Amino acid sequence: MNILVLNSGSSTLKYQLIEMSTKKVIQKGGVYRIGESDVPITDENYNNEIPPKNHSEAIKLAFERLGGLRIDAFGHRVVHGGSFCSPTLATDKTIKQVEDNSCFAPIHNPVNLLGVLACKKVMPKIPNVMVFDTAFHSKMPEAAYLYGISFENYRKHGIRRYGFHGPSHDFVSQKAAELSGKPRDKMKIISLHLGNGCSICAIDQGKSVETSMGLTPLEGLVMGTRSGDIDPAAIGFLGKALKKTHEQTIDYLNKESGLYGMANIGSNDTRDIFAGAEKGNKDCGLAVDVFVHRLVKYVGAYAAVMNGVDAIVFTAGTGNNSPLIRRRVVEKLGFIGAKIDESLNNKAYNNFMTTEVSAKDSKVKVFAIETNEELLIAMETAKLVGKK
Ligand code: AMP
């Protein structure tokens, strides 16, 4: 079975064709600058291609590049599934339901759905499966997903914590169990997805029981440009001080805050901020301290929520590639018996390795694991389509 996994953004469409018996990527690529201009893309890989006008044109271009390779099903990343708890076949009815839920992810969901609609239009006979970022967290206990406000707000308006990065937390926790030689449903795992967006997840016996992102991906850890947790009352004060409307203030917390805002060197890339700190830039140093402090606080809390932890996983751009962040976090986790092996840790640098980085006498296994959300989406798609 060949599954084409699609991740549609507002002006990009990334795809991977995966053969499921070997789990090998047959071809992958991206279509960029969708709908932006008709100036040819001069990058040597794009052969002076004119950017496509819309997502349907982008899909056609991707199919041309795939050169007639067989596609048995499409698997789409859709960020917010609202009340959907598992991967779902895209029909007119389910697409409409997801559309109705899009208010909590207005930047992502509508463009994710453009990809679904484009595939249905261009290849109507091939099934489309929507795999939601939120689905892995949908079995969280009520006590973890409810906010401390009247439950009417949840029951009537859906205001609750949903969590994101589900396919990544799911994938790396499966991998951690495999590397530990134990079934995941017998383990307590904490997974730290530290990319430009960052979230942490407590996985008890294979189920997400807590995660740091909430109603939207703004809650929780300090991120590349997002503030993460902040006193809701600060939003009013900030808006007043910066003369911004409520929407502009939220935008500021999403796009101009986090490491970017704190370090103030015009970059949200942790490599630049770590380098700034090393050269003695005080704000860069302080930004890294805040980032690490928040991580340690959450890991401690999640170990408490699960009454223990067997494995801690670092993944995504920073988590997978930065020995510094792993060392700085784990050195504060002596109280749960976690210990890093400096030499193993230093080898997992800038190269997306999957490896154990904990010391032999560590009571908790620590891993750097390359995430693979596309493969997880393909596996979920194959499972659902295989059932039909
Ligand atoms: P992602 O969202 O998973 O693609 O991660 C992107 C982020 O990972 C970048 O913005 C960088 O901050 C970070 N990153 C990538 N490589 C490294 C590295 N070698 N060391 C530290 N951070 C890295």
Side-chain angles (χ1 to χ4, degrees):
M1 184 185 275
N2 290 345
I3 308 273
L4 188 69
V5 177
L6 290 147
N7 189 347
S8 324
S10 52
S11 61
T12 60
L13 181 108
K14 292 191 206 145
Y15 58 89
Q16 284 193 13
L17 186 66
I18 302 179
E19 199 283 309
M20 295 314 291
S21 66
T22 55
K23 307 230 170 29
K24 285 232 165 79
V25 176
I26 304 174
Q27 209 186 103
K28 69 175 175 181
V31 182
Y32 301 96
R33 292 184 21 198
I34 302 168
E36 279 185 8
S37 74
D38 51 9
V39 179
I41 303 179
T42 48
D43 183 304
E44 60 184 56
N45 296 321
Y46 294 100
N47 237 347
N48 283 328
E49 264 172 22
I50 305 281
K53 284 194 188 66
N54 51 42
H55 282 71
S56 293
E57 297 291 315
I59 291 277
K60 279 189 198 150
L61 194 56
F63 291 157
E64 264 170 42
R65 290 200 201 140
L66 290 167
L69 286 166
R70 203 188 71 239
I71 299 168
D72 297 298
F74 298 111
H76 299 266
R77 177 185 183 214
V78 179
V79 166
H80 213 304
S83 56
F84 283 106
C85 300
S86 53
T88 301
L89 203 63
T91 61
D92 291 348
K93 188 175 166 205
T94 56
I95 290 173
K96 171 82 177 60
Q97 282 170 291
V98 174
E99 239 165 30
D100 291 344
N101 276 324
S102 291
C103 56
F104 299 137
I107 300 167
H108 297 103
N109 264 31
V111 291
N112 298 157
L113 289 178
L114 281 180
V116 180
L117 293 169
C119 286
K120 281 176 85 73
K121 186 169 160 198
V122 179
M123 280 201 178
K125 294 217 168 84
I126 310 286
N128 287 269
V129 174
M130 300 181 284
V131 180
F132 306 107
D133 264 39
T134 48
F136 184 56
H137 308 295
S138 64
K139 296 181 186 75
M140 276 197 291
E142 285 178 312
Y145 72 67
L146 288 170
Y147 287 116
I149 53 177
S150 158
F151 299 143
E152 281 305 289
N153 295 308
Y154 160 56
R155 293 183 189 126
K156 276 198 186 148
H157 310 297
I159 309 288
R160 54 160 281 185
R161 309 184 58 253
Y162 289 95
F164 297 86
H165 290 144
S168 178
H169 292 299
D170 192 359
F171 181 84
V172 299
S173 59
Q174 288 185 38
K175 200 83 195 167
E178 212 178 288
L179 294 171
S180 304
K182 284 187 195 162
R184 186 173 66 160
D185 59 12
K186 298 245 161 23
M187 291 186 75
K188 299 170 195 281
I189 300 171
I190 298 178
S191 119
L192 293 84
H193 178 109
L194 310 178
N196 191 31
C198 300
S199 74
I200 176 166
C201 182
I203 301 139
D204 196 355
Q205 300 178 41
K207 294 206 175 66
S208 165
V209 292
E210 245 297 2
T211 192
S212 55
M213 285 176 167
L215 176 72
T216 75
L218 182 54
E219 189 178 334
L221 302 174
V222 171
M223 310 179 212
T225 61
R226 284 173 239 164
S227 63
D229 295 336
I230 187 164
D231 182 344
I235 295 170
F237 285 103
L238 250 178
K240 237 187 212 169
L242 304 181
K243 299 194 174 37
K244 288 182 187 293
T245 63
H246 176 75
E247 282 70 27
Q248 288 167 337
T249 311
I250 298 293
D251 218 42
Y252 172 81
L253 293 174
N254 267 310
K255 297 186 184 150
E256 294 178 59
S257 302
L259 290 168
Y260 173 85
M262 290 188 292
N264 199 24
I265 56 166
S267 172
N268 60 338
D269 192 309
T270 40
R271 284 165 289 198
D272 299 334
I273 294 158
F274 297 165
E278 220 164 88
K279 284 189 200 128
N281 179 315
K282 286 221 168 67
D283 287 350
C284 286
L286 205 49
V288 180
D289 291 347
V290 176
F291 184 71
V292 169
H293 177 86
R294 185 84 51 97
L295 289 171
V296 170
K297 190 165 90 167
Y298 266 94
V299 174
Y302 285 9
V305 163
M306 293 193 290
N307 191 23
V309 52
D310 302 308
I312 296 173
V313 184
F314 289 84
T315 192
T318 304
N320 202 179
N321 293 313
S322 168
L324 173 97
I325 282 300
R326 292 189 299 261
R327 176 174 53 71
R328 290 225 17 211
V329 172
V330 176
E331 71 190 7
K332 298 270 187 187
L333 301 175
F335 75 101
I336 51 172
K339 226 193 248 180
I340 209 118
D341 178 311
E342 281 294 339
S343 146
L344 287 178
N345 187 44
N346 288 336
K347 279 185 200 142
Y349 171 69
N350 216 13
N351 51 5
F352 288 101
M353 279 169 76
T354 287
T355 177
E356 184 173 345
V357 296
S358 41
K360 279 212 168 70
D361 59 344
S362 180
K363 293 202 177 79
V364 177
K365 296 238 179 233
V366 184
F367 298 105
I369 293 181
E370 182 178 9
T371 193
N372 192 341
E373 289 152 302
E374 290 78 13
L375 180 56
L376 194 288
I377 292 171
M379 293 188 317
E380 294 292 335
T381 301
K383 241 194 265 170
L384 191 74
V385 172
K387 268 191 219 156
K388 297 275 146 195

